[in-house]
Amino acid sequence: MQKWSFFDLAFTFTTAIAWLQTSNGFSPSLITPTTVRKNGHTETELFVSSLYSPPPSPAPIEPADNENDDDDKQSENFHAFWKKEQSQEAIRAHVQNCLYQVEPSASKSSIEVISAEPPLLVIHDFLSAPMCQDLIQAAKNSGKMQRSTTGAMQRKSLSRTSSTVWLNDEDCSGPLRLLAEKVSLISGLPPSHMENLQVCQYEPGERFNLHTDHQVSFNELDCRGRLATCLIYLAEPEEGGQTWFPDVLQKEGEADDKGREVYLPAKRGSAVFFWNSIEKPGQPNYTPLMDLSVDPRMAHAGLPVEQGEKWICNRWIHPINFDSGVVGLNGR
């Protein structure tokens, strides 16, 4: 008989409850340990983090004038690489090839495939240090940094205590276009399917509790649900601020290795790429306008920053073109 771990039981139970009560905003909780700094020293406390607390809010957008079901197939970058489970070697080769097409020098980037299924990978040196700093400076210069929000209704929440600003192409076009081009090639979807770049600042004690970047209610938005996420670390704190994936297990390769929970350090210039939905482009019966199902395995948390500042940015990808103004290196 198969033995169920605590997280297996927790996710099975909470997935059913969340599905039944999403419309009421219900969010089952789990008590988890976290490390915080108090009075000059580090202590471990318990805080309530929701397995399905509201995800970060999508950028305000206007619906596209002409939505085309075949928009994906018209993109020169379209591919269906992710339609089936791939090996770690295949994923690494795919990403390496995508990076080489944009920047031949990027072929030396280190790619860690944390998990082949569900896909979770870290791409080091995804953005250069100067570009990371340019994005941070553009966020500061915007004068629009404000408390982060969650969910489709863009509400402030104690589960997410960072500050946020959205950057458009005119704010910092060089890094933004390079980033969009790389993400487009890796995901197989065009820049026009992406939200404008969200830049977040985390000061000591600030965090984002366990959440998924897509939720069922997002299927009702003009831009539809969030297919995938590319998170980039722009500045690393002195202590804390890791990204925690409790239900993705990283294995060392031994046959009897059951794996361990994933804690990703916030390393400047590194990108984390993963899919938020069970459905992926190219799969049988997939259509851009279908309702996307949350993949509960991709629940993750931004653990509290203990010392220093953490800056990140998020590039979220949707199944349709919704005219957000995001473009790649060729201006489209």
Side-chain angles (χ1 to χ4, degrees):
M1 180 179 293
Q2 182 181 1
K3 294 183 179 179
W4 288 68
S5 68
F6 171 79
F7 276 106
D8 290 329
L9 294 172
F11 272 110
T12 300
F13 175 74
T14 53
T15 299
I17 297 299
W19 182 81
L20 290 170
Q21 303 196 35
T22 296
S23 61
N24 295 327
F26 176 78
S27 182
S29 298
L30 169 71
I31 297 180
T32 55
T34 187
T35 302
V36 298
R37 180 163 296 276
K38 281 188 174 183
N39 300 323
H41 64 280
T42 299
E43 297 178 357
T44 299
E45 291 186 338
L46 295 179
F47 71 92
V48 178
S49 59
S50 171
L51 288 176
Y52 289 96
S53 61
S57 302
I61 58 99
E62 295 294 333
D65 293 332
N66 295 299
E67 292 180 354
N68 190 335
D69 288 2
D70 297 324
D71 181 84
D72 296 306
K73 298 180 181 180
Q74 296 175 354
S75 166
E76 62 183 16
N77 291 343
F78 174 77
H79 58 72
F81 174 82
W82 301 101
K83 70 180 180 181
K84 63 180 181 179
E85 183 175 344
Q86 302 281 358
S87 67
Q88 291 197 4
E89 293 74 17
I91 292 174
R92 193 174 293 110
H94 166 70
V95 175
Q96 202 77 73
N97 178 61
C98 292
L99 297 177
Y100 182 81
Q101 291 182 53
V102 182
E103 292 180 305
S105 61
S107 61
K108 298 180 181 179
S109 298
S110 173
I111 301 167
E112 290 184 70
V113 181
I114 306 299
S115 169
E117 180 57 37
L120 175 63
L121 49 147
V122 179
I123 310 165
H124 299 293
D125 301 313
F126 191 76
L127 282 184
S128 67
M131 284 194 169
C132 289
Q133 189 56 45
D134 286 345
L135 290 173
I136 292 174
Q137 197 59 51
K140 291 179 176 179
N141 291 345
S142 71
K144 297 179 181 179
M145 293 289 295
Q146 57 185 347
R147 173 71 179 272
S148 299
T149 59
T150 61
M153 300 305 294
Q154 301 188 15
R155 294 191 176 102
K156 295 178 182 178
S157 170
L158 292 177
S159 68
R160 190 187 191 200
T161 53
S162 59
S163 299
T164 292
V165 69
W166 298 92
L167 296 183
N168 302 319
D169 184 67
E170 60 269 18
D171 295 318
C172 194
S173 63
L176 288 175
R177 293 188 179 194
L178 177 64
L179 198 163
E181 189 76 15
K182 289 183 176 181
V183 175
S184 176
L185 286 167
I186 292 170
S187 67
L189 294 168
S192 61
H193 287 218
M194 301 175 192
E195 295 180 44
N196 282 304
L197 193 72
Q198 184 190 65
V199 179
C200 300
Q201 177 191 24
Y202 290 82
E203 296 184 331
E206 294 183 340
R207 65 175 185 267
F208 195 172
N209 290 359
L210 206 59
H211 65 282
T212 55
D213 284 356
H214 171 64
Q215 67 178 21
V216 173
S217 62
F218 280 12
N219 290 318
E220 304 302 320
L221 298 175
D222 292 324
C223 55
R224 312 296 293 170
R226 281 181 177 149
L227 273 172
T229 294
C230 186
L231 179 158
I232 302 96
Y233 301 112
L234 302 178
E236 54 197 75
E238 296 174 35
E239 292 184 54
Q242 302 96 328
T243 304
W244 175 44
F245 287 84
D247 206 46
V248 178
L249 299 181
Q250 184 174 15
K251 300 181 179 181
E252 299 297 337
E254 293 80 2
D256 60 347
D257 183 9
K258 295 181 180 179
R260 64 183 189 278
E261 293 179 11
V262 174
Y263 292 85
L264 302 178
K267 183 178 179 182
R268 182 175 66 177
S270 294
V272 183
F273 180 84
F274 54 95
W275 293 88
N276 300 307
S277 60
I278 300 293
E279 301 83 7
K280 298 176 181 66
Q283 290 180 340
N285 302 320
Y286 172 88
T287 65
L289 295 179
M290 72 186 302
D291 285 350
L292 300 176
S293 307
V294 175
D295 189 340
R297 299 171 298 177
M298 304 319 297
H300 57 285
L303 298 182
V305 170
E306 298 174 26
Q307 187 172 340
E309 286 185 339
K310 179 176 80 169
W311 286 81
I312 68 166
C313 62
N314 293 299
R315 181 69 88 187
W316 285 301
I317 311 164
H318 294 259
I320 65 170
N321 170 15
F322 58 97
D323 197 23
S324 63
V326 178
V327 296
L329 292 176
N330 60 4
R332 59 184 177 89

